Amino acid sequence: MFNRTRCLQIAAAVASISLLSGCGLFSDDSGDKAKRIVVGTTSAPSTLDPAAAWDGSWELYRNVYQTLLAFPTGSTKPQPDAAQNCEFTDAANESYRCTLRKGLKFSNGEPLDSKAVKHSLDRIKTINHKFGPAGLFGTLEKIETPDALTVVFHLNTPDATFPYVLGSPAASLVPPKEYPAGKIRDDGAVTGSGPYVLTSYKKDGEAVLGRNETYVGFANRRNDGVTIRYFSDSKKMVAALKGKEIDATYRGLSAAEIKDLQTAASHAQGVQVVENVGAEIRYLVFNPNDPQVAKPAVRQAIAQVIDRGAIVSKVYQGTAEPLYSMVPKGVVGHKTPFFDLYGNANVEKAKKILNGAGITTPVELTFWYTTDRYGASTADEFTEIKRQLDETNLFKVNLRGQPWVAFQEGYKSGQYPVFGRGWFPDFPDPDNFIAPFVGKQNAVGTPYEPPQIMNELLPKSRREGDRSAGVKEFETAQQIFAQDVRLLPLWQGKLYVGAREDIAGAERALDPQTAMQMWELYRKTSW
């Protein structure tokens, strides 16, 4: 039942970024602000249909689709967007009612009414795409539409996090005429009701966004359009930034590139790096269908010898910090169970674990990673992990890399014994660091059904409207994760944006899912 999945963020992740230039004046009335903003990223959409993606595609979705609720800058709880208001109508948190704004339309002229909302969310569960967000709606039993402006969501169990799901791009609203109820739209077009319309799109090339003149919602657009340019190589993206071909970068910068952009030489070229507190995490996933990985002692021994500090210092050069829980530092309920249980890297302890289980060494394993999703540092990270494990003489590690599309197919079909994943927020709640990784259909494609978490801890925490009241449940869940070692947290990263110094608004651009709200970016007026 609690099979909520996907690759979280806390309120702090929408916090301070500064792009102030010493020779600029902020002005919303400047003619310069109408100039198109060009943003580079290494995270291209895997699909344009929100029913088929639970990944970095959300970056685009946030800007072209609308949701009933959203997270305006600075908010830690979902606020109305397409909805005029929403609320639970019962004390048990099992019935949730939303009233829509009047007169809403999609960009093709179709009305955005209660039937369109029902269609949008029903099709996600009906299609149940293997890479889609259906798992986030595990507690949704049925939707009623008593009139054109009223939507009532009936849940099969109490779930105080449901409004947070409705505020995520997983709940993007689409017009029924152009998005079939039982299959994915595949004509390469987008029809939404968000702040922008997609005027042109080239897969793995660029997405050109123009203002949606019929948009009604919370977003205050501070530019007249944005082009998102997709790079497979972060080096080319940095070169484009320095060469004034793009105005800002987001996602995919390596640690070395961040350090380079922070130098005086880069600043002299008109480039700045902005830093933000983040809840982006990296972790390893162990597939129990592999005969070696199925042995708890193998997983525990790996946890015993991984040196997170070395990974952070050698590969990420201070742009990340060691992580000892799937719930990152700064999120309510964060603890350090992996450190408490395994401590610092210790080969002798790992050897004792393996010997005690009668396991012959070295244990040979293949570790997989994606070559084009999380930035150029990923390959270096896995090279360091291999070095650490191989040097113990307890393990022999082979490395394999795949582009994201093929990588997704591989881990979802259970081909990889051990693989690396990254996690970005669905919504700012500790539930989102626990629930997505358990259940038969979870975010990492390897069924994991710890009964205490699924049957006791998550249900109890979701009865609490005050989300901080479930801290004990989340602390216990973290301890179970550490004991089972089905997932092994590695590090928690900061968020970095490289930008031309005439670009403003980045201090407001990141929402709790760490998707960039492009409407906040604009050009400063020169003296």
Side-chain angles (χ1 to χ4, degrees), residues 156-408:
N156 53 32
T157 189
D159 187 2
T161 70
F162 186 71
Y164 292 80
V165 177
L166 292 182
S168 77
S172 295
L173 303 175
V174 297
K177 290 183 180 178
E178 297 194 24
Y179 289 79
K183 65 178 183 178
I184 297 301
R185 180 178 181 177
D186 58 4
D187 62 356
V190 163
T191 309
S193 59
Y196 297 99
V197 292
L198 184 67
T199 60
S200 69
Y201 178 74
K202 182 179 180 181
K203 183 175 175 58
D204 298 323
E206 67 177 21
V208 179
L209 311 183
R211 289 171 68 100
N212 178 5
E213 299 303 335
T214 63
Y215 169 73
V216 178
F218 77 91
N220 176 27
R221 292 164 296 190
R222 308 184 80 180
N223 58 64
D224 278 354
V226 176
T227 296
I228 307 174
R229 194 165 296 168
Y230 302 111
F231 292 84
S232 59
D233 186 338
S234 60
K235 292 181 181 179
K236 294 180 180 178
M237 183 170 70
V238 170
L241 178 65
K242 291 183 175 181
K244 300 182 181 180
E245 297 173 28
I246 61 177
D247 299 304
T249 68
Y250 185 56
R251 296 217 194 282
L253 292 174
S254 70
E257 288 161 349
I258 292 168
K259 294 294 184 181
D260 174 64
L261 292 176
Q262 290 173 329
T263 63
S266 292
H267 185 70
Q269 292 178 286
V271 176
Q272 295 190 21
V273 175
V274 297
E275 178 182 321
N276 194 17
V277 176
E280 169 192 357
I281 68 173
R282 293 288 190 276
Y283 57 97
L284 296 177
V285 183
F286 296 99
N287 183 354
N289 290 325
D290 179 82
Q292 293 284 33
V293 173
K295 303 168 185 175
V298 170
R299 306 194 301 267
Q300 292 165 358
I302 293 174
Q304 189 64 73
V305 296
I306 285 289
D307 186 343
R308 296 168 176 82
I311 295 172
V312 168
S313 62
K314 292 181 179 180
V315 179
Y316 292 100
Q317 303 175 41
T319 62
E321 59 182 309
L323 181 64
Y324 297 94
S325 171
M326 291 299 288
V327 178
K329 183 180 179 181
V331 174
V332 172
H334 165 76
K335 292 292 182 181
T336 57
F338 280 85
F339 184 83
D340 300 339
L341 194 57
Y342 303 101
N344 293 317
N346 190 305
V347 177
E348 289 305 314
K349 287 183 178 179
K351 183 183 297 185
K352 185 178 294 186
I353 291 172
L354 293 172
N355 289 341
I359 295 172
T360 301
T361 58
V363 179
E364 186 167 357
L365 294 169
T366 300
F367 282 44
W368 291 79
Y369 63 92
T370 178
T371 57
D372 60 354
R373 195 55 162 184
Y374 305 127
S377 297
T378 304
D380 295 334
E381 175 183 349
F382 275 77
T383 298
E384 170 61 17
I385 291 172
K386 171 181 167 60
R387 183 198 66 78
Q388 291 182 14
L389 294 179
D390 285 353
E391 284 188 357
T392 67
N393 294 319
L394 300 175
F395 299 96
K396 182 179 179 182
V397 174
N398 302 301
L399 296 182
R400 297 287 185 272
Q402 284 271 36
W404 176 249
V405 174
F407 179 78
Q408 269 193 312

Side-chain angles (χ1 to χ4, degrees), residues 475-503:
E475 290 177 352
T476 302
Q478 291 172 75
Q479 292 170 2
I480 294 171
F481 274 9
Q483 292 162 1
D484 292 348
V485 200
R486 286 289 305 277
L487 306 152
L488 183 62
L490 297 173
W491 55 265
Q492 174 178 352
K494 302 173 184 177
L495 299 176
Y496 291 90
V497 178
R500 304 298 308 179
E501 61 184 2
D502 66 331
I503 298 299

Side-chain angles (χ1 to χ4, degrees), residues 70-93:
F71 293 89
T73 300
S75 64
T76 60
K77 295 181 179 180
Q79 307 295 323
D81 187 9
Q84 180 176 312
N85 59 69
C86 294
E87 62 181 355
F88 279 106
T89 58
D90 65 330
N93 293 335

Side-chain angles (χ1 to χ4, degrees), residues 77 93 160 164 429 461 463-471 474:
K77 295 181 179 180
N93 293 335
Y164 292 80
D429 189 277
S461 71
R463 296 188 190 101
E464 300 291 349
D466 177 2
R467 301 306 299 144
S468 63
V471 167
F474 293 123

